């Protein structure tokens, strides 16, 4: 058991040290989250690819979880723009492909928690596309860190108005109504399908 704890600590240290080494010198980073299950023809995958391409053309680096679906689409957009880095922060998963081919820099993590931290540590904004439990986990951790001041100045966008509208309704009608969050917390999230608006605001944010 003691040996297992030592190995665990070593792997955690490696995750953070290698993540820092990969990302700390990069500026103007945006993180894109989303499902690994969407096809390349999915409308949200297409939007992610287009947004990443447009941001990359502005010399903005794109960071994703490095997997399939939305992540691959975003990496593909950044990769094909050829103006900034297309970064994939992957995770070791048994019997599952976790790395797409459209990255210029990549790193595979041992643990989800260290990966989640590094996904946003060096970013100024994150754009969250439709996804499942993993995407929700990432989103709510980021919201919590932003609400509590641990990620100051991070801009958070949700893309997919039809997809997220019931979640936003729950946040407003349950969390806010029952005083579980403050009114100011409602403004942490920007819900929009207008990627030109997102691009414009992120460019202004990074000036």
């Amino acid at each position: 058991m003691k040996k297992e704890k030592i190995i665990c600590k070593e792997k955690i240290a490696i995750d953070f040290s290698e993540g820092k080494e990969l990302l700390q010198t990069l500026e103007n980073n945006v993180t894109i989250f989303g499902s690994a299950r969407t096809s390349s023809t999915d409308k949200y995958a297409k939007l992610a690819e287009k947004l990443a391409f447009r941001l990359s053309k502005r010399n903005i680096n794109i960071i994703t979880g490095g997997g399939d679906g939305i992540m691959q689409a975003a990496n593909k957009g950044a990769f094909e723009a050829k103006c900034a880095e297309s970064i994939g922060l992957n995770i070791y998963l048994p019997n599952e492909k976790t790395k797409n081919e459209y990255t210029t820099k990549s790193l595979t993590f041992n643990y989800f928690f260290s990966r989640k931290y590094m996904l946003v540590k060096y970013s100024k904004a994150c754009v969250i596309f439709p996804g499942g439990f993993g995407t929700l986990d990432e989103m709510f951790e980021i919201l919590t860190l932003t609400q509590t001041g641990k990620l100051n100045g991070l801009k958070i966008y949700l893309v997919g108005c039809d997809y997220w509208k019931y979640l936003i309704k729950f946040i407003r009608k349950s969390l806010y109504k029952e005083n579980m969050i403050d009114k100011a917390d409602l403004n942490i999230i920007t819900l929009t399908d207008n990627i030109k608006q997102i691009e414009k605001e992120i460019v202004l944010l990074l000036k």
Side-chain angles (χ1 to χ4, degrees):
M1 181 64 72
K2 185 176 181 180
K3 183 178 180 180
E4 290 178 355
K5 286 184 178 179
I6 292 173
I7 292 173
C8 180
K9 288 181 179 178
E10 289 176 347
K11 287 183 176 179
I12 292 171
I14 289 170
D15 275 358
F16 282 103
S17 63
E18 290 187 348
K20 183 178 180 180
E21 183 179 351
L22 180 72
L23 299 169
Q24 67 176 343
T25 59
L26 297 176
E27 298 180 351
N28 297 336
N29 306 314
V30 170
T31 301
I32 294 180
F33 293 102
S35 175
R37 300 189 182 192
T38 57
S39 69
S40 60
T41 58
D42 176 86
K43 66 178 181 179
Y44 294 119
K46 289 293 186 184
L47 276 178
E49 181 179 341
K50 186 175 181 180
L51 176 62
F53 181 88
R54 294 175 69 99
L55 291 174
S56 185
K57 282 294 187 183
R58 300 271 199 162
N59 297 309
I60 296 170
N61 304 308
I62 300 299
I63 301 174
T64 81
D68 292 330
I70 297 291
M71 294 174 283
Q72 178 170 293
N75 281 136
K76 182 180 179 183
F79 186 85
E80 293 185 344
K82 302 184 188 303
C83 294
E85 300 289 355
S86 176
I87 304 158
L89 303 184
N90 314 290
I91 183 85
Y92 285 113
L93 292 176
N95 304 316
E96 187 173 333
K97 176 193 170 188
T98 59
K99 184 177 179 181
N100 68 63
E101 59 186 310
Y102 297 105
T103 58
T104 57
K105 290 181 179 290
S106 66
L107 182 65
T108 302
F109 286 76
N110 294 291
Y111 299 103
F112 276 107
F113 72 90
S114 49
R115 175 180 179 246
K116 283 192 293 182
Y117 178 77
M118 285 298 170
L119 275 165
V120 295
K121 167 65 176 175
Y122 297 99
S123 290
K124 296 297 184 182
C126 69
V127 186
I128 304 168
F129 285 81
F133 289 148
T135 303
L136 288 170
D137 174 51
E138 291 159 340
M139 177 179 70
F140 278 110
E141 180 157 348
I142 293 165
L143 288 174
T144 301
L145 292 172
T146 303
Q147 180 198 46
T148 55
K150 301 299 182 181
L151 286 175
N152 289 321
L154 185 73
K155 190 73 175 177
I156 302 170
Y157 297 91
L158 290 187
V159 175
C161 293
D162 287 339
Y163 188 87
W164 296 115
K165 62 185 178 183
Y166 299 109
L167 177 61
I168 297 299
K169 184 177 181 180
F170 168 73
I171 290 172
R172 290 182 176 276
K173 298 295 184 180
S174 293
L175 298 185
Y176 175 61
K177 186 177 181 182
E178 298 296 327
N179 297 313
M180 302 298 177
I181 61 173
D182 296 329
K183 188 172 183 179
D185 296 330
L186 297 175
N187 298 322
I188 295 175
I189 303 171
T190 299
L191 175 65
T192 180
D193 288 340
N194 188 340
I195 62 170
K196 289 184 178 180
Q197 173 193 343
I198 296 173
E199 177 193 4
K200 181 179 179 181
E201 291 185 8
I202 288 176
V203 169
L204 288 173
L205 178 67
L206 294 176
K207 281 187 175 180

